[in-house]
Amino acid sequence: MAERVVIVTGGSSGIGEAIALEMARRGWRVVVNYSKSTAQAEGVAKACVAAGGEAIAVRANVAEDADCRALVQAALDQWGRLDALVNNAGTTKFVLHADLDGLSAEDFQRIYAINVIGPFQMCRAAAPALRKTRGAVVNVSSLASRVATGSSIAYAASKAALNTLSMSLARTFAPEVRVNVLAPGFVDTPWMTAGYGEERYARVRETYAQIAPLKDVTQPQHQAEAVAWLIEGAAQVTGQILYVDGGMHVASPRKV
Ligand code: NAP
């Protein structure tokens, strides 16, 4: 167990940071990936070591195939194996869904490059190593993929594409590698505060908590525990979407 290795893309912040720490607490060796935030990623790697694991921070832009291959190679160079891949890195543009002119083709292309093509490239680069260890992949999607809400139309569509991509890969990678999807609802992370701004963030958060059947937003730790289960447990589960959203995906349609 102490030998197992996981790559967490976008591990320097929010949900990815919580996943990296949770896996370290469980004795995993963690590759904390980031694209820009070097100091933050190195801080998370240090915290992983303090939590009982081993960790390295590795810069790679998941939109670049060469970076994806180098990221997988960094894990193999360091520890000689790979047991799990969490495609958590993501991006968006906050644009009201009614504001059609607020989204350009370039916005779609940038968002798809990171949210859809990135996980594909990471899965392709990691597949040979994951097949050897009978490993697991978790792709971090969003409630937005199901209810077509969230920060923008381009974002919701990209996460729906990620769900479909995950189903294809679950079939393609079986029987050696399981591929599942985590679909968070509203999670308290820098993504939300930066995207909405403090005032609107508080309003959106409150509305979500009122509508969600479980009457609260979620925390990064809720997401991390679900990811850990999909990786370490869930032995006969593949091609599945797990909503960790306070029940929001079954909220009354009249209220959404
Ligand atoms: P966050 O706190 O903003 O963290 C985003 C992470 O992604 C950072 O570590 C960032 O690192 C990394 N990243 C961004 N672009 C990258 C790239 N091209 N290559 C590699 N890393 C990249 O966001 P979060 O809220 O934790 O979101 C994490 C995931 O959860 C995303 O996929 C998001 O769509 C999904 N999600 C979030 C929520 C929510 O309510 N927060 C809800 C549903 C789904 P750098 O700063 O170094 O770029």
Side-chain angles (χ1 to χ4, degrees), residues 9-17 33-38 40-41 60-63 87-91 114-115 140-144 155 159 182-192 218:
T9 71
S12 62
S13 170
I15 297 169
E17 175 178 0
N33 159 252
Y34 65 100
S35 68
K36 297 184 197 114
S37 316
T38 308
Q40 245 178 288
N61 174 2
V62 298
N87 284 309
N88 163 80
T91 193
I114 295 172
N115 293 4
V140 179
S141 176
S142 171
L143 171 69
Y155 175 77
K159 293 297 190 178
L182 174 81
F186 188 112
V187 194
D188 262 329
T189 70
W191 169 292
M192 287 298 201
T218 76

Side-chain angles (χ1 to χ4, degrees), residues 53-179:
E54 290 179 46
I56 50 170
V58 179
R59 201 205 76 78
N61 174 2
V62 298
E64 298 292 337
D65 191 41
D67 282 20
C68 294
R69 292 177 192 276
L71 179 56
V72 171
Q73 196 55 50
L76 297 177
D77 289 347
Q78 185 76 18
W79 291 303
R81 60 183 289 155
L82 182 64
D83 302 81
L85 165 65
V86 183
N87 284 309
N88 163 80
T91 193
T92 193
K93 181 177 180 184
F94 281 74
V95 181
L96 292 175
H97 287 214
D99 179 12
L100 300 188
D101 291 326
L103 279 177
S104 64
E106 289 71 28
D107 291 328
F108 270 88
Q109 278 152 2
R110 183 184 63 80
I111 291 167
Y112 271 63
I114 295 172
N115 293 4
V116 186
I117 301 170
F120 175 77
Q121 291 175 160
M122 283 303 302
C123 285
R124 180 169 60 189
L130 289 174
R131 283 193 200 278
K132 277 191 199 153
T133 56
R134 301 189 77 84
V137 175
V138 178
N139 290 331
V140 179
S141 176
S142 171
L143 171 69
S145 68
R146 171 157 167 161
V147 294
T149 57
S151 45
S152 64
I153 288 178
Y155 175 77
S158 75
K159 293 297 190 178
L162 178 61
N163 294 356
T164 307
L165 181 149
S166 304
M167 306 300 112
S168 297
L169 292 181
R171 196 183 311 110
T172 303
F173 285 6
E176 295 93 349
V177 181
R178 295 179 300 107
V179 181

